[in-house]
Amino acid sequence: MNQPIIQDMINTILDGMHRPHLTETCDTVKTGDPTRRVTSVVTTFLATHAVIEKAAALGANFIITHEPTFYTHHDSVDWLAEDSVYKAKRKLIDDSGIVIWRLHDHIHMRQPDGIVLGLVQALGWEACMQNGEPHYCVLPPMTLAELCAQIKERLGIRHIRLVGDLDAEISKVVLPVGAAGGGLHYQLMKAYQPDVIVCGELNEWETSEYIRDANQQGQRKAILAIGHANSEEPGMAWLAQWLRGVYPDLTINHIPAEDPFVVV
């Protein structure tokens, strides 16, 4: 079996995003030696302790994660030098010989955005995309309650937080995944005039308050917060599928990090 060098595989992935390689980026190797050859690959939303254990059990030596491994955007570890949680996680990684590389900026820069495209595919909305743009979908008319039930069933998630009227009829949906922030929410609202925003997480003093005021004024708008991990995990599953086409002889698995939150 042809086993590529990890760094060569990283370069192939970056080339596959069809965008210039960024020099200022969080998309860097976080642990391990990328000059080694790949045994097998795991993609995930986030390289949690549990994901790393599962990857090691599968014999993988290369994890591609979308979000940070060490709890800050650029994975700075100076503040964790004597931290017991960090040391236990780092020991697991080092003992397993796993290289962890983050793919965040480049996959979002791809046209269309690979993370959003993965979510649309998981929801079964590909035919509803407008002009090949996964951020904006026009669905068959349904109530907001029916939309929530469909999202929960198709993504296998437990809960959705929302602002809006569950009886309202909706059709036009925009999808600012992850923690896109109010700025992108407002841009998408201005561009598409959606009935519903489906986001990952939000600042609770931004778009949710705009939506609350809109409803008080008689405008039937809504926002659904499905969770950061829930909104972006399908994109990393899409990456695993894409990689299997590029490297058909390699074992490539997707291991979900899963939603860390429960509601009590």
Side-chain angles (χ1 to χ4, degrees), residues 1 3-4 6 36-41 59-62 250-251:
M1 181 178 68
Q3 294 179 303
I6 290 173
R36 298 174 57 203
R37 291 193 178 274
V38 177
T39 56
S40 71
V41 183
N61 70 340
F62 185 29
L250 274 180
T251 300

Side-chain angles (χ1 to χ4, degrees), residues 62-108:
F62 185 29
I63 294 176
I64 304 171
T65 181
H66 185 61
E67 294 296 4
T69 303
F70 299 120
Y71 321 117
T72 64
H73 184 56
H74 288 285
D75 287 286
S76 170
V77 297
D78 293 347
W79 63 286
L80 292 168
E82 300 304 320
D83 184 87
S84 61
V85 173
Y86 166 73
K87 288 195 290 186
K89 189 173 189 179
R90 190 62 197 241
K91 184 177 187 304
L92 171 64
I93 295 166
D94 293 343
D95 289 350
S96 303
I98 289 176
V99 175
I100 298 177
W101 173 59
R102 186 176 180 194
L103 178 61
H104 180 274
D105 298 346
H106 292 84
I107 195 170
H108 277 306

Side-chain angles (χ1 to χ4, degrees), residues 43-211:
T43 69
T44 188
F45 164 74
L46 199 149
T48 65
H49 195 104
V51 166
I52 296 165
E53 287 179 327
K54 292 174 184 176
L58 291 171
N61 70 340
F62 185 29
I63 294 176
I64 304 171
T65 181
H66 185 61
E67 294 296 4
T69 303
F70 299 120
Y71 321 117
T72 64
H73 184 56
H74 288 285
D75 287 286
S76 170
V77 297
D78 293 347
W79 63 286
L80 292 168
E82 300 304 320
D83 184 87
S84 61
V85 173
Y86 166 73
K87 288 195 290 186
K89 189 173 189 179
R90 190 62 197 241
K91 184 177 187 304
L92 171 64
I93 295 166
D94 293 343
D95 289 350
S96 303
I98 289 176
V99 175
I100 298 177
W101 173 59
R102 186 176 180 194
L103 178 61
H104 180 274
D105 298 346
H106 292 84
I107 195 170
H108 277 306
M109 289 171 55
R110 181 186 180 277
Q111 294 296 325
D113 183 321
I115 297 296
V116 185
L117 182 59
L119 177 61
V120 170
Q121 289 181 349
L123 289 169
W125 294 354
E126 292 162 276
C128 302
M129 293 192 310
Q130 301 301 295
N131 300 317
E133 169 53 69
H135 278 103
Y136 177 47
C137 295
V138 178
L139 309 179
M142 67 185 79
T143 66
L144 184 62
E146 289 169 336
L147 176 66
C148 289
Q150 183 182 111
I151 291 172
K152 289 172 70 176
E153 178 185 4
R154 294 184 180 181
L155 297 185
I157 63 178
R158 298 183 295 269
H159 50 80
I160 293 175
R161 302 175 68 207
L162 68 93
V163 179
D165 179 358
L166 286 170
D167 294 325
E169 185 174 277
I170 64 89
S171 178
K172 297 185 293 182
V173 181
V174 292
L175 294 152
V177 299
L184 180 58
H185 296 176
Y186 302 141
Q187 288 176 33
L188 292 172
M189 283 192 288
K190 184 176 181 180
Y192 299 114
Q193 298 297 308
D195 305 312
V196 185
I197 301 167
V198 177
C199 70
E201 61 177 285
L202 48 73
N203 293 324
E204 296 183 8
W205 44 270
E206 290 185 333
T207 320
S208 52
E209 291 302 336
Y210 176 95
I211 297 296

Side-chain angles (χ1 to χ4, degrees), residues 20-40:
H21 298 197
L22 299 174
T23 54
E24 297 293 326
T25 180
C26 61
D27 294 357
T28 57
V29 173
K30 308 305 179 183
T31 69
D33 178 6
T35 66
R36 298 174 57 203
R37 291 193 178 274
V38 177
T39 56
S40 71

